[in-house]
Amino acid sequence: MTSPRRVNRGPSAAADNRAALIAAAREVFAASGYDVPMSLIARTAGVGQGVLYRHFASKEALALAVFEENIVEVENIAADPNTTVEDVLKVIIGQITTSAAFIAMLNPSSDDPRIFEPAFRLLTLLGDKLADPVQRGAIRAGIEATDIVLAVGMVAGVLARTDAASRQYTAEHAWSLLLHGMHA
């Protein structure tokens, strides 16, 4: 018995394929880390490798697309004036806990120019939140957006070397320690 042949929808499937690849990358990176083969991501998305490479020329480009979705999520949450810096940081820490791609993008030693624009957006967003005393919350005066990104990068560095089973506990514990140091 043969399996039914998948119908090629051509260009009309491009947006769906791209979304499926990003979702698959997020899932595979979270489960197996950043060093997975691209073929596994394509299989998980239900597309061929040709489709994958048509959308993303490299694993870095795919990870950047996952990173972009994470930044958009953070921007949407931060747009609410009732959201504090700590609320935004809770989302970011949650993202790095589950997404190896986000951990890779938050590597403070990265010199990949594609990371600069979304990183600048994140810095600007945090700077705007810190400028408002209500949104700053319990974060002490003198703490700047770059300090917060450095702290998040430190947690990301620890999580990059933490096994998946321990990642949630380690993220919460490490962030709690760093946040305590940022409080007034």
Side-chain angles (χ1 to χ4, degrees):
M1 181 166 176
T2 62
S3 59
R5 187 177 166 104
R6 198 170 154 187
V7 176
N8 183 344
R9 296 186 305 147
S12 67
D16 291 341
N17 288 343
R18 186 177 196 287
L21 286 163
I22 293 170
R26 183 182 306 280
E27 174 187 327
V28 171
F29 289 154
S32 304
Y34 183 69
D35 294 326
V36 296
M38 292 283 275
S39 58
L40 177 59
I41 295 168
R43 278 194 309 275
T44 303
V47 301
Q49 282 189 251
V51 170
L52 182 145
Y53 285 106
R54 211 169 302 132
H55 288 280
F56 302 102
S58 65
K59 188 183 303 181
E60 292 78 19
L62 182 54
L64 191 63
V66 173
F67 183 58
E68 174 64 24
E69 281 192 357
N70 286 354
I71 293 294
V72 168
E73 179 185 1
V74 170
E75 288 172 332
N76 289 337
I77 289 164
D80 180 350
N82 296 317
T83 303
T84 66
V85 172
E86 287 189 41
D87 296 331
V88 171
L89 293 173
K90 185 175 182 178
V91 171
I92 293 171
I93 295 300
Q95 289 175 341
I96 66 171
T97 301
T98 59
S99 177
F102 200 66
I103 292 171
M105 294 296 121
L106 282 172
N107 178 354
S109 64
S110 176
D111 59 358
D112 187 335
R114 297 171 297 177
I115 296 172
F116 295 147
E117 189 271 332
F120 180 74
R121 286 170 34 210
L122 183 60
L123 279 170
T124 301
L125 173 151
L126 289 169
D128 291 347
K129 287 283 187 193
L130 288 168
D132 181 320
V134 173
Q135 293 178 17
R136 176 179 276 277
I139 304 292
R140 70 178 154 83
I143 298 289
E144 299 177 358
T146 53
D147 300 321
I148 290 174
V149 170
L150 177 61
V152 170
M154 291 164 64
V155 174
V158 168
L159 293 180
R161 294 181 305 276
T162 302
D163 64 281
S166 304
R167 200 173 287 150
Q168 183 69 40
Y169 170 79
T170 302
E172 289 172 5
H173 189 68
W175 185 248
S176 175
L177 290 170
L178 288 168
L179 193 57
H180 178 74
M182 288 190 277
H183 280 171

